[in-house]
């Protein structure tokens, strides 16, 4: 059984309208058509699918989302912008580029940040798009990636040319408004020896209900270095899905930090593939959930070739009736000798009603490797709690401070001061701690 | 009397460790509690601070005339009881100065006195840090995270200096310290001793007592005090070893 498979849905009419109006090249239109056909046939994934066992998305079907972009004033958006990327940002509202709020004037000349629409007008960029789009994750990964691919429109295209070192972080901000479905699509191509930092941020204008269904593809060429911060702070009423697919080439470096704070029901798939020798990847994350929030991170790290290192550190903080899911697959294939793969998933349950299902999976087909994985689910350490109590801190404050410390390890990775500060505040607020530092 | 322990029996996980301990402490006094491993020294320290794993089986403890055992650990702390840990805990993500200001202000709030803002508190912290020769680089670092053994112990004494307890229990504060760190810690404690507070030094060795001179020495064996005396008892113990008192206890 598949959800809505074969049925006429709210997406049909909009898909046809959008495709007809589009002046995209033929290859893209047929990609979109194939993707939509896949979605029509398969629908959204169901809990019968092993990878979706714990995450039931059937509630999304009942929603009657619209597709028109709303307008948001600059003032509202200010809180989501960061001074470090003020002039290197693209802002999308309900999936459409908001020109007024976007500003890439501080971008170095050799860097390219365009919407797909603009990129397709340039022969060279159009060629790159054609070669790379949907090549690290195809539409048939699942119903969400299919629907996203079917709705490829004003995506964000980032091209970091050979040897370019972009010091200013580039912000891609996706804001959603009430009762909308939007489909963020990002293609990042970092050529050899290049360096860049990318912030991918999801935010809400208010506590609205909507669907974000995003796909982000990252190609890291030989000896390039990419830092990628993904910050998901959707409304607590929202549905959120994103797939991140990363291709790592010879001796290149990819460092990702994924912060998941928002969403009523959210899921992040992150797939990292080593395509050549000597690559290194950090895939870290935090999910911090309250009330009846549900978050699911599924990751696949694929060591196909020798001498690559992967480090994965995910932490979960679950309060009230929230539910977390972590599934981390690491494949070490026959040819991947000299692999070093480390994976850790630690979860802190702050209430008796919270629950987490964690499943680290290592599949190793080579003997010459160094691999370790571990998952823990627990409460705060009694000894740590007692230490704080013995200094006169109330039990509530002590617990919250330790919880903050637990989450802080991941947030601390973010070396962009304003984001780190904002996240610290968000976490502390949630914990009702005032450090007034 | 600041602290009165009467016939205290206490243990952990169903096992009795303290088996009828009596102790009386007045303000202005320093008491050393010595004894071999397993004699119950650290248990006494933890029971006084209210560690939840330890169970009081029998007896009473009065602190300033109040039943100490009825107070939660944080209440005890705000009332002026302080435990310097043998193994201080790391608190990642929270800076030393933030942590100390929170603790300080919780106490001030409890006493109905004025809380300090970060700037005011920083001045106080700088002043107190001199006591244990700590420079301000320690303030920004996360509590005990990445601290050496000696730095952790100095940090405990810094906390004591900020919180100004009436009763400080120092649990094996000398363990794992090199000679310089031991001197700094001991000098810090000496600066903090006064007529309005009392200090309990829990220690296995006499070494610490060369630097901090106790008024009374109590020797613990098998959960009871088996010998008491002045500072000279520590020297005698050093010379004769714990077998001497263990025998005396039987």
């Amino acid at each position: 059984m598949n959800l809505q498979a074969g049925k006429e849905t709210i997406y049909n009419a909009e898909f046809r309208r959008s495709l007809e109006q589009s002046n995209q090249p033929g290859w893209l239109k047929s990609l979109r058509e194939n993707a939509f056909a896949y979605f029509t046939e398969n629908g959204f994934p169901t809990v019968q699918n092993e990878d979706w066992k714990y995450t039931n998305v059937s509630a999304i079907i009942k929603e009657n989302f619209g597709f028109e972009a709303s307008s948001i004033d600059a003032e509202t958006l200010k809180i989501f912008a960061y001074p470090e990327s003020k002039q290197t940002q693209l802002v999308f509202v309900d999936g459409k580029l908001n020109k007024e709020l976007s500003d890439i004037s501080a971008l170095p000349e050799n860097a390219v940040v365009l919407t797909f629409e603009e990129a397709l007008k340039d022969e060279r960029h159009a060629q790159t798009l054609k070669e790379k789009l949907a090549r690290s994750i195809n539409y048939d990964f699942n119903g969400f990636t299919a629907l996203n691919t079917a709705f490829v429109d004003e995506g964000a295209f980032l091209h970091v040319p050979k040897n370019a070192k972009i010091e200013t972080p580039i912000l891609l901000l996706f804001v959603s408004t009430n009762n909308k479905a939007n489909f963020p699509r990002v293609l990042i191509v970092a050529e050899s020896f290049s360096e860049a930092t990318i912030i991918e941020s999801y935010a809400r204008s208010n506590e609205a209900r909507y669907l974000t269904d995003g796909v982000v593809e990252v190609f890291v060429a030989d000896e390039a270095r990419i830092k990628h911060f993904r910050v998901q702070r959707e409304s607590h009423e929202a549905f959120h899905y994103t797939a991140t697919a990363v291709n790592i080439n010879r001796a290149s470096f990819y460092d990702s930090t994924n912060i998941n704070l928002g969403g009523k029901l959210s899921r992040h798939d992150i797939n990292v593939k080593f395509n050549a020798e000597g690559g290194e990847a950090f895939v870290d994350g935090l999910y911090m959930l309250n009330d009846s929030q549900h978050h699911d991170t599924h990751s696949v790290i694929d060591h196909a070739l020798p001498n690559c290192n992967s480090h994965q550190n995910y932490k979960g903080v679950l309060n009230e009736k929230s539910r977390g899911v972590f599934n981390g697959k690491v494949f070490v294939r026959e040819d991947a000798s000299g692999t070093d793969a480390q994976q850790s998933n630690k979860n802190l349950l702050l209430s008796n009603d919270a629950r987490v299902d964690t499943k680290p999976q290592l599949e190793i087909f080579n003997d010459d490797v160094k691999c370790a994985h571990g998952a823990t689910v627990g409460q705060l350490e009694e000894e740590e709690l007692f230490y704080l109590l013995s200094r006169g801190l109330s039990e509530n404050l002590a617990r919250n401070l330790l919880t903050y410390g637990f989450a802080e390890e991941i947030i601390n990775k973010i070396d962009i001061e304003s984001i780190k500060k904002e996240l610290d505040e968000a976490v502390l607020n949630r914990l009702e701690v005032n450090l007034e530092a | 009397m600041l602290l009165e322990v009467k016939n205290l029996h206490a243990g952990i996980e169903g096992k009795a460790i303290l088996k009828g301990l009596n102790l009386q402490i007045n303000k202005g006094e320093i008491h050393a509690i010595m004894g071999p491993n397993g004699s119950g020294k650290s248990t006494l320290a933890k029971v006084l601070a209210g560690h939840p794993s330890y169970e009081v089986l029998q007896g009473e403890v009065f602190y300033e005339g109040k039943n100490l055992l009825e107070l939660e650990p944080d209440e005890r702390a705000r009332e002026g009881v302080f435990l310097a840990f043998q193994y201080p805990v790391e608190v990642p993500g929270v800076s030393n100065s933030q942590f100390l200001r929170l603790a300080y202000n919780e106490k001030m709030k409890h006493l109905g006195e004025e809380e300090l803002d970060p700037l005011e508190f920083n001045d106080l912290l700088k002043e107190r840090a001199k006591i244990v020769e700590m420079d301000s680089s320690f303030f920004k670092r996360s509590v005990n995270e990445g601290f050496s053994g000696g730095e952790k112990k100095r940090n405990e004494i810094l906390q004591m200096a900020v919180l100004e307890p009436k009763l400080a229990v120092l649990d094996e504060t000398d363990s794992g310290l090199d000679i310089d760190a031991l001197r700094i810690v001991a000098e810090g404690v000496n600066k903090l001793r006064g007529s309005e507070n009392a200090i309990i030094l829990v220690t296995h060795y006499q070494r610490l007592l060369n630097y901090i001179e106790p008024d009374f020495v109590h020797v613990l064996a098998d959960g009871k005090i088996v010998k008491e005396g002045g500072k000279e008892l520590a020297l005698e113990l050093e010379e004769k070893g714990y077998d001497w008192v263990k025998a005396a206890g039987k």
Side-chain angles (χ1 to χ4, degrees), chain A residues 132-355:
Chain A
K132 304 282 192 203
L133 192 70
R135 295 306 164 92
S136 72
I137 187 161
N138 202 356
Y139 58 81
D140 62 2
F141 186 67
N142 61 41
F144 287 99
T145 53
L147 199 58
N148 174 283
T149 309
F151 280 94
V152 166
D153 185 17
E154 293 194 38
F157 174 69
L158 267 67
H159 185 248
V160 191
K162 196 173 172 181
N163 297 320
K165 306 226 179 329
I166 303 175
E167 280 171 23
T168 321
I170 297 163
L171 170 67
L172 302 173
L173 172 60
F174 301 95
V175 185
S176 303
T177 66
N178 197 26
N179 204 32
K180 297 288 160 53
N182 66 96
F183 304 97
R185 182 82 188 203
V186 179
L187 177 65
I188 299 165
V189 179
E191 302 286 3
S192 23
F193 305 99
S194 69
E195 284 182 32
T197 297
I198 291 130
I199 310 159
E200 173 195 346
S201 176
Y202 299 91
R204 78 283 182 208
S205 60
N206 51 41
E207 281 306 310
R209 177 178 293 244
Y210 52 82
L211 168 68
T212 301
D213 173 9
V215 173
V216 177
E217 293 180 275
V218 188
F219 292 86
V220 193
D222 295 353
E223 298 192 42
R225 297 178 70 85
I226 293 294
K227 261 197 212 176
H228 189 171
F229 302 112
R230 177 179 160 279
V231 182
Q232 188 265 93
R233 295 187 64 194
E234 304 271 31
S235 139
H236 281 212
E237 291 297 316
F239 302 102
H240 175 99
Y241 175 84
T242 28
T244 308
V246 187
N247 268 266
I248 297 183
N249 283 289
R250 187 179 51 77
S252 62
F253 175 84
Y254 175 75
D255 182 356
S256 86
T257 310
N258 300 280
I259 309 291
N260 301 285
L261 300 178
K264 178 188 180 64
L265 178 60
S266 65
R267 158 106 173 200
H268 182 218
D269 280 302
I270 178 161
N271 301 343
V272 175
K273 191 171 181 198
F274 291 101
N275 283 334
E277 287 195 44
E280 180 164 37
F282 286 81
V283 183
D284 300 330
L286 169 71
Y287 40 95
M288 188 162 182
L289 312 173
N290 274 12
D291 46 64
S292 57
Q293 281 185 289
H294 178 114
H295 175 77
D296 179 345
T297 286
H298 263 64
S299 78
V300 179
I301 297 177
D302 191 346
H303 287 266
L305 287 151
N307 303 319
C308 294
N309 301 333
S310 67
H311 321 262
Q312 191 170 26
N313 183 11
Y314 262 78
K315 284 188 161 185
V317 178
L318 298 104
N319 205 353
E320 296 165 320
K321 290 180 176 170
S322 62
R323 176 93 188 259
V325 181
F326 177 82
N327 185 298
K329 290 194 188 83
V330 178
F331 294 110
V332 181
R333 302 197 187 267
E334 273 172 38
D335 293 336
S337 48
T339 292
D340 184 345
Q342 311 291 329
Q343 183 185 63
S344 156
N345 173 232
K346 289 184 182 152
N347 295 282
L348 199 51
L349 296 183
L350 300 178
S351 101
N352 291 330
D353 297 326
R355 175 174 169 173

Side-chain angles (χ1 to χ4, degrees), chain A residues 382-395 397 401-402 404-406 408 412 433-437, chain B residues 49-53 73-74 77-78 82-83 85 89 91-94 98-99 101-103 106 118 144 156 159:
Chain A
E382 191 180 70
E383 204 56 36
E384 294 177 3
L385 192 59
F386 176 60
Y387 186 67
L388 270 60
L389 293 176
S390 78
R391 298 302 179 251
L393 269 50
S394 68
E395 178 153 348
L397 178 58
L401 215 51
L402 288 172
Y404 167 72
F406 177 84
E408 173 66 15
N412 223 3
V433 174
N434 185 1
L435 286 177
E436 282 178 42
Chain B
H51 194 295
S53 299
D74 53 321
R78 293 192 292 267
F82 179 86
L83 172 65
F85 279 50
V89 169
V91 190
V94 181
Q98 288 168 331
F99 176 62
R101 195 171 66 84
L102 283 174
E106 288 282 302
N144 293 326
E156 292 293 284
Q159 294 180 16

